[in-house]
mmCIF file of all heavy atoms in Angstrom:
data_model
loop_
_atom_site.group_PDB
_atom_site.id
_atom_site.type_symbol
_atom_site.label_atom_id
_atom_site.label_comp_id
_atom_site.label_asym_id
_atom_site.label_seq_id
_atom_site.Cartn_x
_atom_site.Cartn_y
_atom_site.Cartn_z
ATOM 1 N N ARG A 1 2.762 -2.428 11.027
ATOM 2 C CA ARG A 1 1.663 -1.520 10.981
ATOM 3 C C ARG A 1 0.440 -2.114 10.241
ATOM 4 O O ARG A 1 0.689 -2.978 9.314
ATOM 5 C CB ARG A 1 2.096 -0.260 10.188
ATOM 6 C CG ARG A 1 2.694 0.899 10.923
ATOM 7 C CD ARG A 1 3.010 1.981 10.002
ATOM 8 N NE ARG A 1 3.024 3.245 10.771
ATOM 9 C CZ ARG A 1 2.830 4.462 10.230
ATOM 10 N NH1 ARG A 1 2.615 4.545 8.851
ATOM 11 N NH2 ARG A 1 2.926 5.555 10.886
ATOM 12 N N PRO A 2 -0.710 -1.808 10.541
ATOM 13 C CA PRO A 2 -1.803 -2.215 9.670
ATOM 14 C C PRO A 2 -1.825 -1.424 8.322
ATOM 15 O O PRO A 2 -1.604 -0.267 8.408
ATOM 16 C CB PRO A 2 -3.075 -1.791 10.526
ATOM 17 C CG PRO A 2 -2.642 -1.477 11.883
ATOM 18 C CD PRO A 2 -1.285 -1.113 11.713
ATOM 19 N N ALA A 3 -1.837 -2.223 7.278
ATOM 20 C CA ALA A 3 -1.884 -1.530 6.000
ATOM 21 C C ALA A 3 -3.266 -1.122 5.621
ATOM 22 O O ALA A 3 -4.011 -1.759 4.697
ATOM 23 C CB ALA A 3 -1.326 -2.393 4.945
ATOM 24 N N VAL A 4 -3.817 -0.141 6.287
ATOM 25 C CA VAL A 4 -5.158 0.303 6.093
ATOM 26 C C VAL A 4 -5.238 1.433 5.102
ATOM 27 O O VAL A 4 -4.460 2.415 5.253
ATOM 28 C CB VAL A 4 -5.858 0.775 7.489
ATOM 29 C CG1 VAL A 4 -7.199 1.366 7.192
ATOM 30 C CG2 VAL A 4 -5.913 -0.459 8.472
ATOM 31 N N GLU A 5 -6.183 1.326 4.126
ATOM 32 C CA GLU A 5 -6.266 2.422 3.073
ATOM 33 C C GLU A 5 -7.046 3.620 3.755
ATOM 34 O O GLU A 5 -8.079 3.558 4.200
ATOM 35 C CB GLU A 5 -7.074 1.911 1.940
ATOM 36 C CG GLU A 5 -6.317 0.672 1.226
ATOM 37 C CD GLU A 5 -7.225 -0.163 0.405
ATOM 38 O OE1 GLU A 5 -8.497 0.278 0.332
ATOM 39 O OE2 GLU A 5 -6.837 -1.063 -0.269
ATOM 40 N N ALA A 6 -6.265 4.786 3.714
ATOM 41 C CA ALA A 6 -6.872 6.008 4.293
ATOM 42 C C ALA A 6 -7.244 6.924 3.094
ATOM 43 O O ALA A 6 -6.606 7.881 2.777
ATOM 44 C CB ALA A 6 -5.838 6.708 5.214
ATOM 45 N N GLY A 7 -8.340 6.535 2.374
ATOM 46 C CA GLY A 7 -8.811 7.329 1.344
ATOM 47 C C GLY A 7 -8.253 6.881 -0.045
ATOM 48 O O GLY A 7 -8.621 7.478 -1.061
ATOM 49 N N GLU A 8 -7.267 6.048 -0.134
ATOM 50 C CA GLU A 8 -6.726 5.611 -1.358
ATOM 51 C C GLU A 8 -6.658 4.167 -1.439
ATOM 52 O O GLU A 8 -6.495 3.420 -0.418
ATOM 53 C CB GLU A 8 -5.281 6.160 -1.605
ATOM 54 C CG GLU A 8 -5.281 7.641 -1.618
ATOM 55 C CD GLU A 8 -3.841 8.210 -2.023
ATOM 56 O OE1 GLU A 8 -3.117 7.542 -2.759
ATOM 57 O OE2 GLU A 8 -3.441 9.181 -1.529
ATOM 58 N N LYS A 9 -6.875 3.537 -2.568
ATOM 59 C CA LYS A 9 -6.939 2.092 -2.752
ATOM 60 C C LYS A 9 -5.474 1.470 -2.823
ATOM 61 O O LYS A 9 -4.720 1.838 -3.791
ATOM 62 C CB LYS A 9 -7.755 1.665 -3.924
ATOM 63 C CG LYS A 9 -9.237 2.126 -3.802
ATOM 64 C CD LYS A 9 -9.924 1.389 -2.622
ATOM 65 C CE LYS A 9 -11.377 1.798 -2.460
ATOM 66 N NZ LYS A 9 -11.992 1.212 -1.321
ATOM 67 N N LEU A 10 -5.167 0.511 -2.005
ATOM 68 C CA LEU A 10 -3.896 -0.037 -2.063
ATOM 69 C C LEU A 10 -3.647 -0.816 -3.334
ATOM 70 O O LEU A 10 -2.467 -0.770 -3.889
ATOM 71 C CB LEU A 10 -3.790 -1.021 -0.887
ATOM 72 C CG LEU A 10 -2.374 -1.702 -0.526
ATOM 73 C CD1 LEU A 10 -1.334 -0.621 -0.209
ATOM 74 C CD2 LEU A 10 -2.545 -2.763 0.534
ATOM 75 N N GLY A 11 -4.582 -1.432 -3.924
ATOM 76 C CA GLY A 11 -4.402 -2.264 -5.159
ATOM 77 C C GLY A 11 -4.017 -1.456 -6.298
ATOM 78 O O GLY A 11 -3.455 -2.048 -7.328
ATOM 79 N N TYR A 12 -4.257 -0.192 -6.295
ATOM 80 C CA TYR A 12 -3.963 0.710 -7.505
ATOM 81 C C TYR A 12 -2.521 1.170 -7.496
ATOM 82 O O TYR A 12 -1.981 1.812 -8.471
ATOM 83 C CB TYR A 12 -4.899 1.807 -7.583
ATOM 84 C CG TYR A 12 -6.274 1.418 -7.935
ATOM 85 C CD1 TYR A 12 -7.305 1.407 -7.065
ATOM 86 C CD2 TYR A 12 -6.452 1.119 -9.306
ATOM 87 C CE1 TYR A 12 -8.605 1.025 -7.443
ATOM 88 C CE2 TYR A 12 -7.842 0.742 -9.716
ATOM 89 C CZ TYR A 12 -8.829 0.779 -8.779
ATOM 90 O OH TYR A 12 -10.099 0.392 -9.236
ATOM 91 N N LEU A 13 -1.795 0.872 -6.359
ATOM 92 C CA LEU A 13 -0.347 1.357 -6.298
ATOM 93 C C LEU A 13 0.420 0.443 -7.188
ATOM 94 O O LEU A 13 0.194 -0.743 -7.301
ATOM 95 C CB LEU A 13 0.175 1.285 -4.808
ATOM 96 C CG LEU A 13 -0.465 2.278 -3.908
ATOM 97 C CD1 LEU A 13 -0.012 1.905 -2.448
ATOM 98 C CD2 LEU A 13 -0.103 3.717 -4.274
ATOM 99 N N PRO A 14 1.439 0.912 -7.861
ATOM 100 C CA PRO A 14 2.270 0.150 -8.757
ATOM 101 C C PRO A 14 3.233 -0.731 -8.050
ATOM 102 O O PRO A 14 3.505 -0.673 -6.898
ATOM 103 C CB PRO A 14 3.104 1.143 -9.551
ATOM 104 C CG PRO A 14 3.194 2.350 -8.588
ATOM 105 C CD PRO A 14 1.973 2.373 -7.894
ATOM 106 N N GLY A 15 3.628 -1.871 -8.645
ATOM 107 C CA GLY A 15 4.665 -2.805 -8.208
ATOM 108 C C GLY A 15 4.104 -4.003 -7.510
ATOM 109 O O GLY A 15 2.889 -4.206 -7.586
ATOM 110 N N ASP A 16 4.951 -4.848 -6.947
ATOM 111 C CA ASP A 16 4.575 -6.080 -6.206
ATOM 112 C C ASP A 16 4.068 -5.719 -4.835
ATOM 113 O O ASP A 16 3.967 -4.563 -4.495
ATOM 114 C CB ASP A 16 5.777 -7.063 -6.225
ATOM 115 C CG ASP A 16 7.006 -6.528 -5.477
ATOM 116 O OD1 ASP A 16 6.861 -5.477 -4.797
ATOM 117 O OD2 ASP A 16 8.127 -6.967 -5.677
ATOM 118 N N MET A 17 3.845 -6.813 -4.065
ATOM 119 C CA MET A 17 3.224 -6.565 -2.725
ATOM 120 C C MET A 17 4.099 -5.636 -1.907
ATOM 121 O O MET A 17 3.669 -4.748 -1.203
ATOM 122 C CB MET A 17 2.981 -7.878 -2.075
ATOM 123 C CG MET A 17 2.386 -7.761 -0.631
ATOM 124 S SD MET A 17 0.872 -6.780 -0.651
ATOM 125 C CE MET A 17 -0.213 -7.935 -1.463
ATOM 126 N N LYS A 18 5.495 -5.886 -1.868
ATOM 127 C CA LYS A 18 6.422 -5.121 -1.113
ATOM 128 C C LYS A 18 6.369 -3.649 -1.525
ATOM 129 O O LYS A 18 6.315 -2.759 -0.722
ATOM 130 C CB LYS A 18 7.873 -5.709 -1.191
ATOM 131 C CG LYS A 18 8.871 -4.862 -0.430
ATOM 132 C CD LYS A 18 10.202 -5.418 -0.515
ATOM 133 C CE LYS A 18 11.198 -4.866 0.418
ATOM 134 N NZ LYS A 18 11.315 -3.392 0.255
ATOM 135 N N ASP A 19 6.281 -3.433 -2.830
ATOM 136 C CA ASP A 19 6.253 -2.014 -3.328
ATOM 137 C C ASP A 19 4.940 -1.334 -2.962
ATOM 138 O O ASP A 19 4.899 -0.158 -2.564
ATOM 139 C CB ASP A 19 6.258 -1.942 -4.902
ATOM 140 C CG ASP A 19 7.676 -2.415 -5.333
ATOM 141 O OD1 ASP A 19 8.620 -2.191 -4.742
ATOM 142 O OD2 ASP A 19 7.679 -3.041 -6.510
ATOM 143 N N LYS A 20 3.829 -2.083 -2.803
ATOM 144 C CA LYS A 20 2.508 -1.540 -2.390
ATOM 145 C C LYS A 20 2.510 -1.209 -0.924
ATOM 146 O O LYS A 20 1.809 -0.261 -0.484
ATOM 147 C CB LYS A 20 1.426 -2.530 -2.740
ATOM 148 C CG LYS A 20 1.104 -2.804 -4.256
ATOM 149 C CD LYS A 20 0.097 -3.795 -4.299
ATOM 150 C CE LYS A 20 -0.041 -4.231 -5.877
ATOM 151 N NZ LYS A 20 -0.642 -3.152 -6.638
ATOM 152 N N VAL A 21 3.251 -2.077 -0.106
ATOM 153 C CA VAL A 21 2.980 -1.756 1.397
ATOM 154 C C VAL A 21 4.049 -0.960 1.953
ATOM 155 O O VAL A 21 4.014 -0.311 3.016
ATOM 156 C CB VAL A 21 2.904 -3.078 2.151
ATOM 157 C CG1 VAL A 21 1.816 -3.953 1.713
ATOM 158 C CG2 VAL A 21 4.170 -3.851 2.002
ATOM 159 N N ASP A 22 5.312 -0.783 1.238
ATOM 160 C CA ASP A 22 6.355 -0.025 1.765
ATOM 161 C C ASP A 22 6.023 1.379 2.125
ATOM 162 O O ASP A 22 6.528 1.902 3.086
ATOM 163 C CB ASP A 22 7.576 -0.130 0.785
ATOM 164 C CG ASP A 22 8.551 -1.205 1.128
ATOM 165 O OD1 ASP A 22 8.325 -1.887 2.171
ATOM 166 O OD2 ASP A 22 9.529 -1.369 0.393
ATOM 167 N N PRO A 23 5.206 2.072 1.237
ATOM 168 C CA PRO A 23 4.895 3.474 1.657
ATOM 169 C C PRO A 23 4.153 3.533 2.973
ATOM 170 O O PRO A 23 4.357 4.530 3.732
ATOM 171 C CB PRO A 23 3.890 3.901 0.514
ATOM 172 C CG PRO A 23 4.368 3.018 -0.634
ATOM 173 C CD PRO A 23 4.717 1.709 0.018
ATOM 174 N N TYR A 24 3.475 2.540 3.384
ATOM 175 C CA TYR A 24 2.817 2.575 4.675
ATOM 176 C C TYR A 24 3.842 2.353 5.824
ATOM 177 O O TYR A 24 3.549 2.734 6.929
ATOM 178 C CB TYR A 24 1.740 1.427 4.774
ATOM 179 C CG TYR A 24 0.527 1.709 4.010
ATOM 180 C CD1 TYR A 24 0.499 1.321 2.564
ATOM 181 C CD2 TYR A 24 -0.624 2.200 4.490
ATOM 182 C CE1 TYR A 24 -0.597 1.533 1.819
ATOM 183 C CE2 TYR A 24 -1.736 2.436 3.688
ATOM 184 C CZ TYR A 24 -1.688 2.087 2.339
ATOM 185 O OH TYR A 24 -2.759 2.311 1.590
ATOM 186 N N MET A 25 4.973 1.723 5.520
ATOM 187 C CA MET A 25 5.958 1.358 6.495
ATOM 188 C C MET A 25 7.049 2.460 6.558
ATOM 189 O O MET A 25 7.917 2.355 7.465
ATOM 190 C CB MET A 25 6.599 0.028 6.127
ATOM 191 C CG MET A 25 5.637 -1.128 6.007
ATOM 192 S SD MET A 25 4.808 -1.493 7.535
ATOM 193 C CE MET A 25 3.142 -1.476 6.987
#
């Protein structure tokens, strides 16, 4: 999936890269 921010900034999510993108997946 494209990890496109829909109104929220991805960088502000806690954790490492996997933790940041897993909610999108």
Side-chain angles (χ1 to χ4, degrees):
R1 272 184 155 200
V4 174
E5 299 163 357
E8 297 185 34
K9 297 297 182 183
L10 187 62
Y12 288 104
L13 293 173
D16 59 18
M17 180 55 70
K18 183 178 185 302
D19 295 328
K20 291 177 188 291
V21 300
D22 265 1
Y24 289 85
M25 306 295 126

